[in-house]
Amino acid sequence: MDNSQAYEAAKSRVEAKMGFYTHIAVYAAVITFLVLIDLVTSAQSIWFHWPLIGWGVAVATHALFVFIVPNQFGVTEARIEDEMRRQQAKR
């Protein structure tokens, strides 16, 4: 992997992480707003937990793919490089 490929891979990872941080910030702001609306308008009937759980699952899934699951693009890049080396060796 040369410098431009390493740079692109690092840039992709940073963009994925920044996308997650944006997602979680919007989630926290919207859920806070929904909790306030729910408690002010209908304290007897609590409903904010439904979007909290539903969207929370989406945020957790996003975190899983950004931080825990191995970068599938990196695996693909490594395979492409291996194939290119094999093709050059045949020449």
Side-chain angles (χ1 to χ4, degrees), residues 23-36:
H23 189 183
I24 201 159
V26 170
Y27 170 76
V30 171
I31 293 299
T32 300
F33 185 65
L34 291 176
V35 168
L36 291 174

Side-chain angles (χ1 to χ4, degrees), residues 77-87:
E77 287 294 324
R79 288 184 181 171
I80 290 170
E81 288 178 11
D82 289 342
E83 187 61 32
M84 288 174 65
R85 277 190 227 111
R86 283 188 214 124
Q87 292 298 324

Side-chain angles (χ1 to χ4, degrees), residues 26-60:
V26 170
Y27 170 76
V30 171
I31 293 299
T32 300
F33 185 65
L34 291 176
V35 168
L36 291 174
I37 289 173
D38 187 23
L39 295 178
V40 168
T41 61
S42 60
Q44 308 85 342
S45 173
I46 306 277
W47 52 262
F48 72 84
H49 59 281
W50 296 115
L52 179 100
I53 294 168
W55 197 355
V57 169
V59 169

